[in-house]
């Protein structure tokens, strides 16, 4: 799996980011609209963090729904 390292504004430190999976992409499209491009979105991999952003544009990032935090903790 491809990962990049970026500054995460919610973690306030450098973290590894991975591409959004299909469920996360669907949640972003539901929030931002069906025509919103989700092909270049990356999610912070820090435990419990919901931040996602385009590859090089932190200013256009946002948080995934809270249900993704609960799904992560239930899966571990």
């Amino acid at each position: 799996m491809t990962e990049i390292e970026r500054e995460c504004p919610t973690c306030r430190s450098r973290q590894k980011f991975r591409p959004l999976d299909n469920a996360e992409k669907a949640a972003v499209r539901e929030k931002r609209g069906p025509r919103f491009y989700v092909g270049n979105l990356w999610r912070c991999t820090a435990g419990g963090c919901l931040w996602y952003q385009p590859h090089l544009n932190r200013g256009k990032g946002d948080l995934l729904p809270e249900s993704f935090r609960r799904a992560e903790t239930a899966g571990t």
Side-chain angles (χ1 to χ4, degrees), residues 6 47 65 70 75:
R6 294 279 178 256
R70 283 182 247 128

Side-chain angles (χ1 to χ4, degrees), residues 28-49:
V28 171
R29 278 199 182 107
E30 184 177 321
K31 181 177 182 178
R32 298 235 177 144
R35 297 185 68 174
F36 186 79
Y37 181 68
V38 295
N40 193 27
L41 296 178
W42 296 73
R43 180 180 178 181
C44 178
T45 61
C49 186

Side-chain angles (χ1 to χ4, degrees), residues 10-76:
T10 54
C11 295
R12 297 186 177 166
S13 62
R14 287 188 73 75
Q15 298 292 335
K16 291 188 187 285
F17 281 69
R18 63 162 176 78
L20 265 59
D21 64 26
N22 290 335
E24 294 162 344
K25 288 177 183 179
V28 171
R29 278 199 182 107
E30 184 177 321
K31 181 177 182 178
R32 298 235 177 144
R35 297 185 68 174
F36 186 79
Y37 181 68
V38 295
N40 193 27
L41 296 178
W42 296 73
R43 180 180 178 181
C44 178
T45 61
C49 186
L50 298 173
W51 181 257
Y52 70 89
Q53 68 184 48
H55 185 348
L56 295 173
N57 195 343
R58 184 172 63 184
K60 299 235 183 218
D62 201 356
L63 296 173
L64 289 167
E66 192 64 33
S67 60
F68 285 96
R69 185 185 332 260
R70 283 182 247 128
E72 270 186 0
T73 56
T76 57

